[in-house]
Amino acid sequence: MCKLKRIVHSIVLMTIFLSLFSACQDEFAQPQVLKKKALVLGFAQLGDESGWRSGNTISIQKAASDGNIQLMFSNAEQKQENQIKAIRSLIAYRVDVIAFAPIVENGWDNVLTEAKQAGIPVFLTDRYIRTDDAGLYACYIGSNFQEEGKRAARFLKKKFADEDRTINIVELSGTVGASPALGRSEGFYKELSDDSKFKIITSQSGDFMRSKGKEVMNNMLKKYRNIDVLYSHNDAMTLGAIDAIENAGIRPGKDIVIISIDGEQAAIDLLKIGKINCVIECNPMLGPTIVDTAKKLVRGESVPKNIYSEEKVFTEWDDLTDLPPRGY
Ligand code: GZL
C-alpha cells in the first residue's frame, strides 16, 4: 500500500474512533435526568346519581390533569361494596394517596385500617364516615351539612314570619345513612325546633335521584292534602318532585313552597321563574382542594381535619340576573 493510501487509511480509522468515543462520552458525560414520577392519587367515587355528582367528578378529573398528577378513578355505582373493593385495589396498586366520597357513614374501619397498615394516607371528600378512630383518615373536604339544613330552616322562618297557622312540611331526604342526608335533617329540625307552627308531617328518602324523588312525591301527594312546604335534600329529587306536583295540577313555588339543596343550573333556572323558592348551595367543585391536599399529604405536611367549602343561599328575594353559569 503506497504512503498516501496509508495516511488516508489512518485518518479514516482515527475519525471513526473519535466519533465512537465522543458518543460514549456523551452517554456518561450527561447523567440521565431521572423523570420525576408523577404522584398517583386513587379516587373511589360513589356513583353518578345527580348533576352535582357529575360536576364533582369533572372537577376532580380536571384538577388532576391541571396538577400533573396521575388519577386512578373508579365509580361504585351507588354500592358501598364496590367502593370498598376499589379502595382495596388502590392499596394493592400502592398508590401514593387515596381519597373517596363514602356513600354512607358506617362500614369503613376495616378497609381504612388496611390502607393505614399499607402506609397509604387516606382522606374523605364530600361525605363523612362514622368511626371511633379518627386516625383512619387525614381530613374531610366538603360541606357542613348541618349548616345547610339550618339555612333551609332560616329561609322558611322568614318566608312564613307573618303566618300564625300550622305550616305542614314534607321532607324528601337523601340516601339513607349518608352524611348529607343525616346532617341536612338534623340541622333543619334543630333550627325549626323553637317554633311549633312548623310541622314535619312526613320524611321519606328519594336516594338523591330524580326518578325516586318523583315517585316519593307522587305518593306523598296522594296521602297528604295539606302540604305547604317541600324540603328536598338535593336538586335532582326536587326536579322529579316538581314533575309530580305539576302532574297533580298543583303550582310548585306557589301552592307548595319548595326549598332545594345543591345549586345546580336547572334548579337556579326554576328559582328564577318562581317554581322553586330557595336554593341552598352545596359546592361540588372540590377538585383543586383535593389535588392540593393530596400533594401536601404525600409531602408529609399536615392539613386541617375539616376543610369546608364556601357556600351561598339563593332565594326568591334575590336579583339573580348577573349570577354566572353554575357549571353543574
Ligand atoms: C353532598 C353530596 C350529595 C349532593 C347530591 O355533598 O354528597 O350527593 O347533595 C349528591 O346531589 O347525590
Side-chain angles (χ1 to χ4, degrees), residues 46 49-50 52-53 126-127 143 145 180 184 208 233-235 261-262 264 282:
L46 66 85
E49 73 287 357
S50 64
W52 188 98
R53 186 67 51 197
D126 164 35
R127 296 193 182 176
S143 302
F145 303 118
R184 287 168 183 168
F208 284 133
H233 286 189
N234 88 323
D235 295 342
I261 301 180
D262 274 351
E264 288 183 31
C282 176

Side-chain angles (χ1 to χ4, degrees), residues 4-41:
L4 178 62
K5 270 196 175 177
R6 273 204 307 276
I7 293 166
V8 170
H9 191 63
S10 46
I11 289 169
V12 168
L13 281 176
M14 184 58 77
T15 310
I16 291 168
F17 171 73
L18 284 173
S19 57
L20 278 174
F21 176 72
S22 63
C24 294
Q25 202 181 33
D26 282 351
E27 189 184 328
F28 292 107
Q30 305 292 331
Q32 288 297 320
V33 177
L34 292 174
K35 200 169 173 333
K36 195 171 176 308
K37 180 177 98 58
L39 181 153
V40 182
L41 165 64

Side-chain angles (χ1 to χ4, degrees), residues 180-198:
L182 297 166
R184 287 168 183 168
S185 285
E186 186 187 332
F188 187 69
Y189 288 36
K190 202 178 284 182
E191 189 67 23
L192 288 183
S193 60
D194 63 352
D195 190 336
S196 59
K197 76 182 176 188
F198 294 104

Side-chain angles (χ1 to χ4, degrees), residues 104-160:
V104 291
E105 289 195 340
N106 294 318
W108 302 100
D109 280 18
N110 290 341
V111 72
L112 295 188
T113 301
E114 291 165 30
K116 190 171 184 177
Q117 286 164 347
I120 300 174
V122 176
F123 62 103
L124 311 178
T125 79
D126 164 35
R127 296 193 182 176
Y128 285 97
I129 65 170
R130 193 176 295 275
T131 178
D132 295 332
D133 180 2
L136 287 175
Y137 63 93
C139 69
Y140 163 79
I141 298 171
S143 302
N144 181 331
F145 303 118
Q146 287 81 357
E147 180 56 28
E148 291 173 345
K150 288 178 181 173
R151 289 177 178 181
R154 288 180 203 132
F155 169 79
L156 274 191
K157 285 183 167 180
K158 187 173 173 187
K159 177 73 178 174
F160 291 97

Side-chain angles (χ1 to χ4, degrees), residues 123-303:
F123 62 103
L124 311 178
T125 79
D126 164 35
R127 296 193 182 176
Y128 285 97
I129 65 170
R130 193 176 295 275
T131 178
D132 295 332
D133 180 2
L136 287 175
Y137 63 93
C139 69
Y140 163 79
I141 298 171
S143 302
N144 181 331
F145 303 118
Q146 287 81 357
E147 180 56 28
E148 291 173 345
K150 288 178 181 173
R151 289 177 178 181
R154 288 180 203 132
F155 169 79
L156 274 191
K157 285 183 167 180
K158 187 173 173 187
K159 177 73 178 174
F160 291 97
D162 302 333
E163 303 209 28
D164 58 4
R165 64 179 178 87
T166 299
I167 308 294
N168 294 310
I169 302 165
V170 295
E171 181 183 33
L172 245 185
S173 64
T175 303
V176 175
S179 57
L182 297 166
R184 287 168 183 168
S185 285
E186 186 187 332
F188 187 69
Y189 288 36
K190 202 178 284 182
E191 189 67 23
L192 288 183
S193 60
D194 63 352
D195 190 336
S196 59
K197 76 182 176 188
F198 294 104
K199 192 161 170 280
I200 297 163
I201 58 177
T202 187
S203 176
Q204 295 172 40
S205 172
D207 207 13
F208 284 133
M209 297 172 85
R210 178 169 185 161
S211 55
K212 290 193 180 173
K214 180 175 181 178
E215 183 189 329
V216 170
M217 192 69 216
N218 258 327
N219 297 336
M220 288 175 170
L221 289 165
K222 288 189 181 103
K223 187 168 181 185
Y224 302 98
R225 291 278 170 244
N226 55 348
I227 299 172
D228 298 300
V229 176
L230 164 63
Y231 170 48
S232 171
H233 286 189
N234 88 323
D235 295 342
M237 294 190 296
T238 303
L239 297 175
I242 287 173
D243 290 343
I245 290 167
E246 291 185 319
N247 290 346
I250 298 170
R251 297 175 302 166
K254 294 176 182 52
D255 303 326
I256 294 180
V257 168
I258 298 179
I259 304 162
S260 188
I261 301 180
D262 274 351
E264 288 183 31
Q265 189 61 57
I268 295 295
D269 293 345
L270 290 170
L271 174 63
K272 287 179 178 177
I273 60 171
K275 290 192 175 182
I276 292 178
N277 305 84
C278 175
V279 175
I280 312 286
E281 184 183 32
C282 176
N283 185 354
M285 305 305 180
L286 304 177
T289 308
I290 288 170
V291 169
D292 179 53
T293 301
K295 289 180 176 176
K296 283 178 178 167
L297 290 173
V298 170
R299 287 196 299 259
E301 294 173 24
S302 63
V303 296

Side-chain angles (χ1 to χ4, degrees), residues 62-76:
K62 183 178 183 307
S65 168
D66 294 348
N68 298 313
I69 68 168
Q70 186 186 339
L71 177 67
M72 293 185 70
F73 186 92
S74 62
N75 173 342

